[in-house]
Amino acid sequence: VNQYDASLQEARDLMQAAMEAQLLGRLKMASAYQLLLHARLVGLGKVFDRATTVASETTTQDASLTAQDATTSSNVAGVASLE
């Protein structure tokens, strides 16, 4: 089980606990579970955002390097044709 699956399982458990507390009329306890759930989900969202940002930056850098390689090859071919 990876870190993301563990976090999602914890979120499911917190939702279940909040629902059960609410059904029993323990509204303060239900609210506490919901606040903890919210904090966990926000934290998980930040982790996903960072992972997405890193992946997109890597893809952008790879595309930029490919474009530079194409330009360099074109320039070399142009110089060779002048000789």
Side-chain angles (χ1 to χ4, degrees):
V1 177
N2 66 30
Q3 154 189 1
Y4 302 117
D5 289 337
S7 295
L8 291 173
Q9 184 57 50
E10 181 185 16
R12 285 185 205 101
D13 293 343
L14 287 168
M15 283 190 288
Q16 182 68 31
M19 184 180 73
E20 289 174 7
Q22 189 171 358
L23 290 173
L24 293 172
R26 298 177 180 165
L27 300 182
K28 286 184 181 181
M29 185 180 285
S31 179
Y33 284 130
Q34 289 171 347
L35 287 172
L36 185 55
L37 172 63
H38 178 265
R40 295 289 196 265
L41 291 175
V42 167
L44 189 59
K46 288 180 181 179
V47 170
F48 280 127
D49 283 346
R50 273 187 246 123
T52 302
T53 301
V54 168
S56 69
E57 286 175 358
T58 301
T59 303
T60 303
Q61 288 173 353
D62 290 346
S64 176
L65 289 175
T66 302
Q68 288 175 356
D69 289 345
T71 302
T72 301
S73 297
S74 172
N75 289 343
V76 168
V79 169
S81 67
L82 292 175
E83 293 176 350

